[in-house]
Amino acid sequence: MRLSQFHLATVKEVPADAEIASHRLMLRAGMIRRLASGLYTWSPLGLRVLRKVERIVREEMDRAGAIELLMPSIQPKELWEETGRWEKFGGQLLKIKDRKQQEFCYGPTHEEVITDFARNELKSYKQLPINFYQIQTKFRDEIRPRFGVMRAREFLMKDAYSFHLSQESLAETYAAMYQAYVRVFTRLGLTFRAVQADSGAIGGHGSHEFQVLADSGEDTIAFSDGSDYAANLEKAEARAPTASRPAATAPLQKVDTPTQKTIASLASFLGISPRQCLKTLLVRGVNGVVALCLRGDHELNEVKAGKLAELPGAPVLASEEEILAACGTRPGFIGPLGLPDSIPVIVDRDAALMADFVCGGNTYGTHYTGANWDRDTRISRITDLRNVVEGDASPDGHGTLHIARGIEVGHVFQLGQKYAEALHATVIDESGKAQLMTMGCYGIGISRIVAAAIEQRHDAAGIIWPEAMTPWRVAVCVINPKNASAAVNDAAEALYQALSQRGIETVLDDRGLRPGNMFADMELIGIPHRVVVSERGLAAGTLEYRGREESESRTVSQDELFALLA
RNA sequence: CGGGGUAUAGCUCAGUCUGGUAGAGCGUUGCGUUUGGGACGCAAAAGUCGGGGGUUCGAAUCCCUCUACCCCGACCA
C-alpha cells in the first residue's frame, strides 16, 4: 500500500472522556470513529486489523472442524418467545418493529436462530456431532457503553454452536474448541489465561473464559503459581482451611463504638486487625432476612452467595427498615449474637475458625469483643462465601493464588439441552426414537480483541502490534521524497516492490511529510518494522532499520533486512 | 433506574457567573522559507454557539422545554 493512496487519519487530540489507552490510541490512530453511543465506524486502517483477527479465528475454527454459516442479525420475536428470553433477556435486547408492526430484535446472540436451524436441518443421529459457526455483528443495548469498542453496543463476534446426542460427544467438541481458542490467542500473540468460569443461571457442566491479561480489565481472575489452576474470581474456590478453631479465652464484653460503622474504622478504633472482626451482612432470603458472616478482611462472593438455598438468587442487601425490624439495629452494628432463631446464620469457612472476635452488638453504637462461636452464638451452616485473595492457597492444593485483571475475549460453554428442549430440537437415534440434542456454544469477541491487544501492548508513542494483527508489517519511509534525488525515490519504490513480492505486507510512506511527522505516525499506528530510505543511506548502500520496540535504529543491508523479516 | 455534567469552527477547548462586534490551539487552503523526530512566516476559508419556546432595546450568556453525549452510583455494614 502506498500511503499517498490510502486514507490515514491520525489525530493529535482526543476527547477528554476517552479514558483507557486502547480507546485513546484507536481514536488517535484513526482506527475508529464514533457515530453514536457504543457505535463505531471502522476506518480502512482499523478494518485491516479487524480482518486479521477475523481471519485467524476463521482458520482455527475451520481447522477444528467447525462449519461456517451466516445467520440474520435481525430475529423474529416469536422465536425468542419460544425460549422465554423475549422478556427474560432484559433491556439489553434491542426490539424493533417493521412496517406491519411485527416485532423483531437485533440479535445479541444466536442460540434461538441456530437451534431453529438445527431442528429443521438435523434429522438423524448420523448427522451428529456437528458444529456451526458464524462471524456476525451483534447488538446489546448496554446500560453504559464505554471504553470504545471494548464495551460497545454493536460489536463483531464469532459464535459457534455444536450439537450432540451425548455428553461425551459434547465434551470432545468442547475440548477441541478449547484447544482452538488456545491456538487463536497464541497466534495473535497475546498474553492470556483460560480460566474456569461460573456457568451462571443456565447451568451446564463446564465453562471457561479466555482472558487477556491487562490492568484495565473489567474482570478479576485468580491463578496459581504452582499449577494450571486459573478461575474467574466469581468462581474461584477459597480452599477449606486445615487449621482448627482455637479455644475461646476472652470473656464476652460489650463496648461502645459510637461512630464505628465500618470494619476499617472499628479495627483502628479498637487497635486490632480487621481479621479479628466479624463482618455480618443481612440479605433478603427466601423467608425473611439471612445473615452472612465473613472475616473482616474478606469480601462476599455474590455468585457463591447467590447459589445458597436460603437466598432467592443474587444477594440483595436488606434495607435499613428490614434490618431494624429483624434485629433492632442499623447497618454497621449487626452481629450474629442474639439474632432471632428465624434468621439463618451462614458463616464462611474462614470466619467459622475465628475465636475471641469482634462483631456488631445489635444495638446502635455497640460491638462485642471476645465473642466466640458455639459459646456465645450459633452457626446454621458453614460454607465458602468469600472472594479469594492474593496469597490464598490454590484450591487444587498446588501453589499460591495470585490476582490479576483480565479482559474477557472468549468463552466456551457446555450448554446442555436448555435450548433444544425449549425449541424441541430432536434427531432420530439408532433405535428410531426422537432424542433431544445436547449443545455447546463458543464465542470470541473479535472487535474486543483489537482493543484488548492494544491495552496489553502500547507505549507512550502508540500501539505496538503483534505481527499477526498489524495492519502492515513493514513501513518504508522516504526522507523528503519531493526534493530527494530520483535515486532515493527509485530505491524506496524498489524496496517496496521487493518486500511486497516476498509476501511481506509493506506500506510505503510516500506522503512527503517531514520525518518527525512520518515517524510519529508509524509509531502511533504500531507498525513493527520501519525502514528509512534517504540520500545518506543510499550513498553508503545501506538501509536504516528500527524495530517498534527498539530505542535506536541500526544500519542493515537489504539482504539483512530480508533475513530479519523472514 | 437515580444523581451529576457537557453540547460554541473539521478536532480539542476558552468565552456563560456579571447579557452588548464569535475566540484560541491544532487541522484545512494558498504563497514563501524550510526538510532526519510532530518546522516557521504571511494570508485565507471555516460557526443556524445542539433544537424549540420565552424574557429583553439586545441572548452563546438569563428562564422553560426537548434531544444527544459523557461521568458516577445501584447500597460489602
Side-chain angles (χ1 to χ4, degrees):
Chain A
M1 179 64 68
R2 289 175 174 79
L3 263 194
S4 61
Q5 306 299 308
F6 192 71
H7 178 71
L8 187 68
T10 56
V11 292
K12 286 184 185 162
E13 290 172 297
V14 295
D17 52 39
E19 289 180 294
I20 64 171
S22 61
H23 188 194
R24 271 202 303 274
L25 289 172
M26 288 181 82
L27 289 169
R28 276 189 58 205
M31 293 178 64
I32 54 169
R33 297 285 187 234
R34 196 184 70 88
L35 176 65
S37 178
L39 302 178
Y40 291 88
T41 294
W42 288 82
S43 73
L45 180 73
L47 186 62
R48 287 185 71 92
V49 177
L50 192 69
R51 291 288 187 240
K52 290 267 171 90
V53 177
E54 193 181 321
R55 182 172 164 191
I56 287 175
V57 170
R58 182 174 278 120
E59 285 174 4
E60 292 303 329
M61 292 306 290
D62 291 343
R63 182 203 299 268
I67 309 168
E68 186 168 9
L69 50 53
L70 185 61
M71 294 177 268
S73 54
I74 309 283
Q75 309 176 11
K77 175 187 183 184
E78 288 68 28
L79 209 44
W80 283 72
E81 285 183 325
E82 281 194 69
T83 58
R85 289 211 294 179
W86 185 258
E87 296 302 330
K88 255 175 102 180
F89 207 89
Q92 284 200 344
L93 193 63
L94 178 68
K95 298 173 178 177
I96 37 191
K97 284 182 186 169
D98 70 5
R99 66 172 74 200
K100 294 183 289 188
Q101 301 302 302
Q102 296 235 32
E103 293 192 86
F104 296 84
C105 64
Y106 198 111
T109 178
H110 281 70
E111 280 86 4
E112 278 80 3
V113 179
I114 194 71
T115 309
D116 176 68
F117 180 77
R119 71 179 166 183
N120 292 323
E121 300 292 322
L122 303 177
K123 302 296 178 192
S124 160
Y125 74 95
K126 293 177 184 169
Q127 293 171 291
L128 302 187
I130 195 162
N131 188 3
F132 296 114
Y133 79 97
Q134 66 171 348
I135 294 175
Q136 169 65 289
T137 298
K138 314 265 190 193
F139 190 98
R140 292 183 189 168
D141 199 357
E142 296 282 349
I143 298 174
R144 267 186 67 193
R146 56 184 135 173
F147 306 147
V149 299
M150 186 80 84
R151 181 168 294 282
R153 293 195 294 176
E154 188 179 284
F155 56 98
L156 190 63
M157 184 171 173
K158 185 283 303 177
D159 49 328
Y161 306 89
S162 66
F163 295 86
H164 314 268
L165 262 194
S166 69
Q167 176 60 35
E168 294 68 42
S169 170
L170 170 58
E172 274 175 32
T173 299
Y174 183 85
M177 284 293 102
Y178 184 104
Q179 285 310 319
Y181 278 34
V182 169
R183 290 188 61 96
V184 165
F185 297 115
T186 302
R187 278 184 67 184
L188 287 171
L190 299 175
T191 304
F192 69 97
R193 289 280 190 291
V195 307
Q196 294 177 23
D198 179 61
S199 43
I202 308 171
H205 298 276
S207 174
H208 285 86
E209 289 166 357
F210 286 77
Q211 298 271 357
V212 166
L213 301 187
D215 291 339
S216 59
E218 293 187 282
D219 287 349
T220 304
I221 62 177
F223 60 96
S224 172
D225 58 14
S227 72
D228 287 341
Y229 180 84
N232 193 303
L233 186 71
E234 291 178 345
K235 165 89 175 176
E237 183 190 353
R239 196 171 182 215
T242 48
S244 52
R245 186 200 304 162
T249 59
L252 183 67
Q253 285 187 320
K254 207 163 204 182
V255 297
D256 285 334
T257 50
T259 60
Q260 284 67 38
K261 295 183 179 184
T262 64
I263 295 288
S265 63
L266 179 67
S268 81
F269 179 73
L270 295 175
I272 56 172
S273 154
R275 55 186 297 158
Q276 291 172 257
C277 301
L278 183 79
K279 181 190 288 190
T280 307
L281 309 174
L282 284 191
V283 299
R284 291 180 186 155
V286 178
N287 293 309
V289 299
V290 174
L292 304 177
C293 296
L294 297 155
R295 215 169 69 188
D297 57 331
H298 286 154
E299 290 192 346
L300 179 68
N301 181 303
E302 298 195 7
V303 170
K304 292 173 185 175
K307 289 179 178 169
L308 294 170
E310 290 87 345
L311 264 59
V316 179
L317 290 177
S319 67
E320 291 219 13
E321 295 71 33
E322 288 168 315
I323 290 168
L324 201 59
C327 62
T329 188
R330 295 183 206 219
F333 305 100
I334 307 167
L337 277 71
L339 285 181
D341 288 344
S342 60
I343 300 179
V345 178
I346 303 175
V347 182
D348 179 70
R349 293 195 290 219
D350 285 281
L353 287 190
M354 295 167 73
D356 300 335
F357 56 81
V358 173
C359 66
N362 287 334
T363 52
Y364 194 80
T366 70
H367 279 83
Y368 286 111
T369 62
N372 282 278
W373 299 114
D374 298 335
R375 188 190 76 182
D376 305 317
T377 184
R378 68 194 161 83
I379 293 179
S380 309
R381 189 139 74 88
I382 298 171
T383 186
D384 176 21
L385 280 180
R386 68 175 176 94
N387 284 333
V388 297
V389 295
E390 178 88 23
D392 274 352
S394 177
D396 66 0
H398 302 288
T400 301
L401 289 183
H402 299 280
I403 306 291
R405 305 287 286 179
I407 300 165
E408 184 186 350
V409 289
H411 199 157
V412 293
F413 199 90
Q414 298 189 30
L415 264 185
Q417 297 188 324
K418 176 187 162 91
Y419 295 96
E421 202 172 336
L423 295 167
H424 310 294
T426 61
V427 293
I428 302 299
D429 69 10
E430 281 181 275
S431 62
K433 281 192 207 149
Q435 292 279 351
L436 276 182
M437 289 186 280
T438 295
M439 296 170 58
C441 71
Y442 320 92
I444 289 183
I446 308 262
S447 44
R448 179 179 282 183
I449 283 173
V450 177
I454 297 171
E455 212 53 56
Q456 198 174 69
R457 299 172 51 96
H458 65 269
D459 63 13
I463 301 167
I464 304 172
W465 288 119
E467 298 267 345
M469 294 175 69
T470 184
W472 298 281
R473 286 187 67 208
V474 186
V476 174
C477 296
V478 195
I479 300 294
N480 199 10
K482 284 169 188 161
N483 296 328
S485 66
V488 168
N489 285 302
D490 290 351
E493 176 69 23
L495 179 62
Y496 168 62
Q497 295 291 348
L499 286 164
S500 299
Q501 274 162 25
R502 280 174 165 72
I504 297 167
E505 283 186 300
T506 305
V507 62
L508 176 65
D509 194 343
D510 56 350
R511 296 175 297 172
L513 295 187
R514 302 169 68 82
N517 290 295
M518 185 164 52
F519 298 157
D521 267 357
M522 292 305 104
E523 281 157 20
L524 174 60
I525 69 172
I527 308 304
H529 308 280
R530 184 185 79 197
V531 186
V532 174
V533 180
S534 66
E535 301 275 11
R536 190 195 292 174
L538 197 64
T542 59
L543 298 164
E544 183 182 312
Y545 169 86
R546 179 160 157 191
R548 176 64 180 80
E549 293 182 86
E550 296 170 16
S551 56
E552 298 291 333
S553 44
R554 45 190 158 125
T555 302
V556 296
S557 70
Q558 183 160 300
D559 286 343
E560 285 169 331
L561 177 68
F562 292 155
L564 204 84
L565 297 170

